[in-house]
Amino acid sequence: NAGVMQNPRHLVRRRGQEARLRCSPMKGHSHVYWYRQLPEEGLKFMVYLQKENIIDESGMPKERFSAEFPKEGPSILRIQQVVRGDSAAYFCASSRFEGTGGSGNTIYFGEGSWLTVV
Amino acid sequence: AQKITQTQPGMFVQEKEAVTLDCTYDTSDQSYGLFWYKQPSSGEMIFLIYQGSYDEQNATEGRYSLNFQKARKSANLVISASQLGDSAMYFCAMRPLRSGGSNYKLTFGKGTLLTVNP
């Protein structure tokens, strides 16, 4: 089984440009999460999506950031007008069910997308 | 709110020896799940082991075991017979396990950098 697939692995953008990060969940998983890892920090929750629905975006910055998970295709995390502070690793994760317990609902992560804003 | 504390920024261990990575947590939830992830220098987040708060026995996965002490709110990771490939950043994480709540949201510690010496 293919794991969580993210692309691009590395992305360089100039200040003011848009960054678009893609994530395809594991086969059979319909729950997608995005996390951000700033340098020397642990991961921080950004947003939780199911197909065509944003369930929880409480960790997303209010401006410039958006996420979607369309009926067809990968989930997209979009950052408009990037600034240097957006430089980070962005991880996508997926799970089979929403967290209702048990190791069977382990959340699996992709390899991350490293955004560098110059 | 949940909080994870990893007090060891860095740890060193000799190859073939065992090492314990500390993790303490704080939560008001009665039921929760505890996770350990490994992040090698290549950047991906690799799931290692899971422990439910209701599990009476400590979780084990190959060379990994989780020393769960509920009263102390600790969930230390024990790696036996360390290998050079174990050198990586290790993150402890938790999420609540309750219906109707944000039980999909993982809270991470800041991580411990483990170096295995030959």
Side-chain angles (χ1 to χ4, degrees):
Chain A
N1 280 338
V4 179
M5 305 299 292
Q6 288 189 247
N7 68 83
R9 286 294 313 272
H10 299 277
L11 183 64
V12 179
R13 284 287 178 265
R14 295 188 183 278
R15 282 177 292 172
Q17 290 185 319
E18 178 179 287
R20 192 173 294 203
L21 310 176
R22 288 175 289 277
C23 168
S24 296
M26 283 180 71
K27 187 177 180 180
H29 288 192
S30 58
H31 301 261
V32 168
Y33 318 85
W34 285 93
Y35 284 77
R36 178 165 67 174
Q37 183 180 29
L38 294 169
E40 300 186 8
E41 294 280 331
L43 278 67
K44 296 273 195 297
F45 170 82
M46 298 181 75
V47 62
Y48 163 39
L49 310 107
Q50 296 177 22
K51 285 285 187 182
E52 299 184 280
N53 284 307
I54 297 174
I55 308 301
D56 181 352
E57 56 182 349
S58 59
M60 288 267 277
K62 294 286 184 268
E63 298 177 350
R64 303 186 297 106
F65 285 71
S66 62
E68 62 177 13
F69 189 15
K71 188 176 181 181
E72 300 291 336
S75 175
I76 307 283
L77 179 68
R78 184 182 293 112
I79 311 171
Q80 296 178 302
Q81 299 175 324
V82 296
V83 301
R84 288 238 172 95
D86 297 332
S87 294
Y90 293 84
F91 284 91
C92 174
S94 71
S95 64
R96 186 177 295 276
F97 307 107
E98 185 175 314
T100 51
S103 60
N105 192 33
T106 298
I107 297 173
Y108 292 92
F109 284 83
E111 293 185 328
S113 291
W114 267 255
L115 172 65
T116 302
V117 180
V118 297
Chain B
Q2 302 188 323
K3 184 178 179 182
I4 296 282
T5 302
Q6 294 181 254
T7 57
Q8 306 154 315
M11 286 284 285
F12 293 88
V13 65
Q14 287 298 122
E15 197 178 5
K16 299 181 185 176
E17 291 186 350
V19 63
T20 297
L21 306 183
D22 294 342
C23 172
T24 57
Y25 60 90
D26 192 20
T27 181
S28 56
D29 291 296
Q30 294 299 311
S31 295
Y32 44 89
L34 295 154
F35 300 77
W36 277 92
Y37 289 88
K38 172 184 178 181
Q39 187 178 40
S41 57
S42 51
E44 69 267 34
M45 290 290 288
I46 302 168
F47 165 73
L48 294 179
I49 196 166
Y50 168 87
Q51 175 89 41
S53 61
Y54 43 80
D55 293 333
E56 293 186 356
Q57 291 203 328
N58 287 342
T60 60
E61 290 285 349
R63 295 186 298 111
Y64 304 108
S65 60
L66 200 153
N67 183 3
F68 179 47
Q69 298 187 45
K70 194 170 182 177
R72 293 187 174 185
K73 293 191 175 179
S74 73
N76 298 339
L77 176 70
V78 180
I79 305 174
S80 62
S82 297
Q83 301 172 357
L84 295 178
D86 294 334
S87 292
M89 198 74 167
Y90 288 81
F91 291 97
C92 180
M94 72 179 303
R95 64 175 173 81
L97 299 175
R98 48 177 148 82
S99 59
S102 55
N103 49 14
Y104 43 79
K105 194 182 293 187
L106 282 168
T107 299
F108 283 83
K110 291 195 173 183
T112 296
L113 181 62
L114 176 66
T115 303
V116 180
N117 294 318

